[in-house]
Structures are given as C-alpha cells and as structure tokens.
C-alpha cells in the first residue's frame, strides 16, 4: 500500500478559482438568516471574520439587467502563454483565460467559476490546477507537466460570475430549497394504528428556515443545540415521530434568474489553444516525497491520474453516501489488488437488519480483528425513509468513542448541507470540532480523518459544485489549527478524472481514495 504522498504529482486539472486578497466584505444574509450571530454559530468574531475572508468571492461591479451582459462560454477563450515545441516532465505551462460577455465584450470584473484540466486520453492521464482570479475578467492557471508523452489543455465555464451571485444569494437566505418528511405512527382514538406524514425542516434562527403549516413539533438535541421541527400531525402527538425521509426540492429561481442556468450556459467547454504539448523525460529527477501525516497541507496539484492510478483496527465512518462508498469498497474489493500484500484480508458484512443504503452498517475481518462501522449523519439528510433513532449527529457519536491507537474515525458532512445557510454549517462544524478536540484529549493516538466533499456533478441551484467548494473551505479552515486531525482533500481526485462527474465517483476513483486513505492510517 502507498505510505508516501508524492507532493508534486498532478494529473487532472480542474480549476479551483482562488480570488486575489481583498478587503473583507460585509455578509448580507437574506430573510431570517440575517439574525444569526457568532454566538448562535458558537464561534468568535475573529474566527467568523477569518471564515468570511476565506469564503469571499468576487462579484459583478454593477447590476446585471439582462443576460447578454453575463459571461458567455462561446466568446470566452483560453491561451497557452509562450508555448514551446517541447517540455520536460516537471516543467510548468501557463494558461490565460479571458472572459467575455454575450456581446463579445471583455468582462471588467471577476467571479466566474472556471474549471480546466491537462489530459491525455490514451494514457488515462489528467491533472488539476488552481485558477487565480485577477478580478478584471482575466484568469491565470499554472499547470505542471507530470507525465512523459503528450498532453492537451481543457477549460470549461461551470458558472458565470452572475450565476455564482445567485447561488450565494440563496445559499445565504432562508429559502427552503430542500424539504423533508417526518413519518408519525401511533395508536388512534379507537386503538387502531395511525400513520401520518408531514413536512419537516431545520430550525435555524428565530423563525427557522421553513414556511410551516400547522406548527410545530420541535426536537432539540442537547449536545449540539440542533433544532428539528415538523408540522404538528392532525391526530398523533409529537412523540410519535418514527421515521425520516427526503422530501421535495423547491426551486427558488424567478424567471429572470432561470435564464442564467440554461444548459447551454452551464458547464460548457470554452475554445482555446488545442495544440498538442510534447513532454520529454526529465533525467535530472523531480519532486519530493513526505510521509502522510496530520496537518499536511494539500498541494495543488496534490497528485495526478496515470493509467487510472492516483500516484500519491476499528474504523468508524460517519457522514453521507460518499463514505458509504468507502465502506462498500472495503466489503466488495477486499481481498483484491489493493491489498495483495496483506494475507488473509476478507471482510464480511454483519446483518444488522437495517436498510442496505441507509444503514447503519458493519463489516468485520476476523483474522486480523478489524471492524468497520458506517452510519449516516443526523438531519438534515436527503435519504430514503429510515428510523429517526438511527440518525445520530456526528458530534454525539464521536463523544461515545473511547479512541486509542487502534481506532480510526472518518467523517464527511457536505453533500446534504449545501441546501442550508453557511452559518448553520459553521455551527454544525463547531460542535463536531469540540467533540474531536475532546476525543484527541482523552485519546491522542486516535487517527481522525475528515474527508472533504466531492464535486457533485450537478450544476444547478440545489447542489452546485460552488456550494460544495465553499463548505470544504469552511471545514478546512475550522480544523486548520487542530493537531492530530487529517484533512483528506478529495476535491482534486473527484473533479479531474475523465469519468463523468458525479457526487458518487466511479469505482476507480474510490479505489484511489482508499489507497491514499491507507497511506495515512496504516503503520509504516
């Protein structure tokens, strides 16, 4: 298994736009979320200021009255600076992106969400890069050439700067883009079994983030302060809440805003230099290797795919279906090529009589005495119908773990939180952070791994990659000074592979994630 991370490697180039430093903007929340204070989130003024600075995104310098003034994927272009006849492995190339509107006029402000990659289809090679937003309609990205052979540059416009501002508007507002269902069961007045299904949602702020009907049953968790509320059933009491499931999605976009999300304008490749880049061997040797460890910063690029390989106990897995994919990988692919050097690995799932997808799940490997647990995090959660008693908040679960050198805790909490205000996510992460700090205090040899959110593959107002990128930033910032915590950034791995982007990545991507994960948790 891989025990070292090759720091310079890169293969998939997707551009993550990082704005140049600027002054800290005033956060403008809409509706009831504007009443949220740092006290409500559980953090200090200084930390909230730091988070706002990390989340800051350039915006249009004027009101956009019609679509033609927004960024056009047809007229926007990219070019390779000073393209040479050949390069050596380890050299960089520079790419300039120029944004134009639908009238073919140069944009004068930044904020567009571009992605790009350097690729070679035959080698199944891709590499990730980072875009610098110059806030004047131009963007630059530096791409490392990590493999010998040929390469091409690919750039796409995922969202115009105008769309990003719409996404931010609804991310910061209390508009309930995601609804949930509470299933109540109990005895009726004639001792017959009654079932009622009502709408439920998060309560965040004085009035909550949900337009209620007959209200309200409220369920407050003492540890986290999290309040879940449901419409009051007509015949049953609030104590009869038994199951939870996802509800409908509600589109907040008005007719004008919907124009900007048209498929012809979203996640579209832009034209540019299509020349083949020739990369020759580098006999001098490049790159360095370091032991995977806590507080190891994720470089850009952190690695690359080459021939579909990303170069780079008790396990408690908590979160969403992206960590469930890890559980399923261990279950289905062990033993296998990834563990060919480990004799006797053979996981089997225990029948806990729980839903196959909703869990909780457990697999054991008896010869080496390994147990792997997976359970979903608490509400809000867009899963199939499942018992409320199985939905545990991550902070509470971590509080129950004794920890120790034989224990690994892995969690992620992004995909289902993109529907709600970022202030609530900060509050949620702060409670988890408190529990992690307590765990590492009582058992400092425990391995704690935070898996970042994946690219979603969706480019709409519900689950845009921009939302996930912002929540990843919050998580990384809030755990940046906690010793003993490993932030496992899979953003590059999930966004630059040639397979179709999906919140549930292809098996080859999961295999590479597990391989890198083991680089952190396996003894040398």
């Amino acid at each position: 298994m891989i025990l070292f991370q090759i720091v310079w490697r890169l293969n998939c180039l997707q551009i993550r736009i990082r704005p140049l430093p600027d002054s800290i903007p005033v956060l403008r929340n809409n509706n009831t979320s504007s009443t949220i204070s740092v006290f409500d989130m559980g953090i200090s003024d200084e930390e909230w200021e730091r988070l706002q600075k990390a989340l800051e995104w350039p915006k249009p310098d004027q009101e956009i009255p019609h679509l033609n003034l927004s960024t056009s994927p047809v007229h926007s272009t990219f070019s390779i600076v000073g393209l040479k006849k050949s390069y050596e492995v380890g050299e960089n190339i520079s790419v300039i992106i120029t944004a134009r509107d639908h009238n073919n006029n140069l944009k004068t402000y930044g904020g567009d969400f571009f992605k790009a990659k350097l690729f070679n289809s035959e080698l199944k090679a891709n590499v990730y890069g980072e875009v610098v937003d110059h806030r004047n309609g131009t963007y630059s990205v530096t791409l490392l050439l990590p493999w010998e052979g040929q390469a091409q540059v690919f750039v796409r416009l995922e969202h115009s700067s105008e769309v990003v501002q719409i996404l931010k508007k609804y991310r910061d507002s209390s508009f309930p883009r995601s609804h949930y269902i509470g299933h109540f069961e109990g005895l009726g007045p004639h001792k017959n079994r009654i079932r009622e299904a009502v709408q439920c949602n998060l309560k965040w702020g004085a009035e909550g983030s949900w337009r209620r009907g007959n209200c309200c049953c409220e369920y407050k968790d003492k540890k986290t302060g999290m309040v879940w509320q449901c419409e009051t059933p007509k015949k049953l009491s609030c104590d009869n809440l038994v199951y939870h499931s996802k509800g409908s999605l509600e589109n907040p976009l008005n007719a004008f805003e919907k124009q900007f999300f048209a498929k012809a304008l979203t996640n579209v490749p832009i034209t540019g230099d299509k020349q083949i880049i020739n990369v020759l061997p580098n006999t001098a040797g490049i790159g360095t290797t370091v032991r995977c460890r806590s507080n190891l910063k994720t470089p850009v690029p952190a690695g690359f795919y080459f021939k579909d390989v990303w170069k780079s106990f008790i396990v408690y897995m908590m979160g969403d279906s992206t960590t469930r994919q890890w559980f399923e990988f261990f279950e289905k692919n062990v033993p296998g090529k990834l563990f060919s050097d480990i004799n006797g690995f053979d996981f089997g799932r225990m029948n806990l009589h729980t839903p196959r997808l909703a869990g909780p799940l457990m697999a054991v490997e008896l010869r080496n005495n390994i147990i792997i647990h997976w359970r979903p995090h608490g509400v809000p959660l867009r899963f199939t119908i499942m018992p409320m008693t199985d939905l545990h908040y991550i902070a509470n679960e971590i509080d129950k773990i004794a920890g120790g050198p034989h224990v690994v805790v892995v969690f992620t909490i992004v995909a289902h939180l993109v529907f709600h205000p970022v202030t609530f996510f900060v509050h949620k992460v702060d409670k988890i952070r408190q529990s992690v700090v307590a765990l590492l205090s009582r058992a400092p040899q425990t391995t704690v791994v935070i898996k970042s959110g994946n690219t979603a593959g969706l480019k709409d107002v519900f689950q845009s990659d921009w939302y996930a990128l912002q929540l990843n930033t919050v998580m990384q910032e809030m755990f940046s000074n906690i010793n003993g915590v490993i932030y496992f950034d899979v953003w590059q791995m999930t966004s630059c592979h040639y397979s179709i982007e999906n919140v549930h990545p292809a098996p080859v991507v999961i295999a590479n994630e597990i391989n890198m994960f083991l680089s952190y948790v396996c003894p040398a």
Side-chain angles (χ1 to χ4, degrees), residues 268-443:
V268 179
I270 67 173
T271 57
D273 291 335
K274 301 297 184 183
Q275 291 94 329
I276 298 295
I277 300 168
N278 296 304
V279 187
L280 305 177
N282 187 329
T283 57
I286 56 173
T288 59
T289 60
V290 296
R291 180 72 165 86
C292 292
R293 64 182 189 276
S294 169
N295 293 331
L296 182 65
K297 299 298 183 182
T298 304
V300 178
F304 63 96
Y305 286 102
F306 186 76
K307 295 184 180 179
D308 264 350
V309 175
W310 183 265
K311 305 287 186 180
S312 150
F313 26 140
I314 300 177
V315 182
Y316 295 93
M317 295 182 180
M318 293 170 276
D320 51 41
S321 53
T322 66
T323 48
R324 190 190 67 225
Q325 280 188 286
W326 283 21
F327 178 94
E328 292 167 342
F329 178 88
F330 277 110
E331 178 188 21
K332 295 177 182 177
N333 296 281
V334 178
K337 290 182 179 179
L338 184 61
F339 301 96
S340 58
D341 59 333
I342 302 178
N343 295 323
F345 256 75
D346 191 8
F347 279 103
R349 181 185 296 203
M350 301 295 291
N351 185 3
L352 302 182
H353 302 284
T354 56
R356 183 179 65 87
L357 296 179
L361 308 173
M362 183 173 72
V364 299
E365 195 283 309
L366 296 176
R367 183 176 302 186
N368 296 283
N369 196 26
I370 298 173
I371 303 174
I372 298 181
H373 300 265
W374 175 83
R375 69 160 51 251
H377 63 68
V379 291
L381 190 71
R382 292 191 58 80
F383 266 19
T384 183
I385 185 169
M386 57 189 305
M388 284 293 296
T389 53
D390 287 339
L391 296 178
H392 299 181
Y393 297 119
I394 291 177
N396 293 344
E397 282 298 295
I398 293 175
D399 285 343
K400 299 174 185 177
I401 298 172
H406 61 292
V407 174
V408 179
V409 177
V410 185
F411 67 87
T412 186
I413 184 168
V414 171
H416 294 259
L417 275 294
V418 296
F419 303 96
H420 301 281
V422 69
T423 51
F424 173 70
F425 186 75
V426 171
H427 167 79
K428 191 105 171 168
V429 172
D430 178 66
K431 298 303 180 184
I432 295 173
R433 182 172 59 180
Q434 292 177 27
S435 295
V436 167
V437 169
L439 170 62
L440 292 175
S441 176
R442 64 179 177 267

Side-chain angles (χ1 to χ4, degrees), residues 168-233:
K168 184 178 185 301
K169 166 186 169 183
Y170 290 112
R171 192 275 311 275
D172 293 341
S173 78
S174 62
F175 190 98
R177 288 175 289 127
S178 176
H179 293 279
Y180 308 89
I181 304 296
H183 302 263
F184 291 73
E185 293 187 8
L187 294 177
H190 302 292
K191 305 301 180 181
N192 56 322
R193 192 74 176 173
I194 294 177
R195 293 179 175 85
E196 292 187 67
V198 301
Q199 285 201 27
C200 302
N201 219 309
L202 169 70
K203 182 177 182 180
W204 183 239
E207 298 298 326
S209 57
W210 168 53
R211 297 189 299 274
R212 301 165 301 281
N214 181 26
C215 195
C216 261
C217 294
E218 292 193 356
Y219 308 90
K220 183 174 182 178
D221 181 73
K222 287 185 178 181
K223 157 73 180 182
T224 65
M226 162 82 180
V227 179
W228 192 248
Q229 58 184 9
C230 296
E231 293 177 352
T232 305

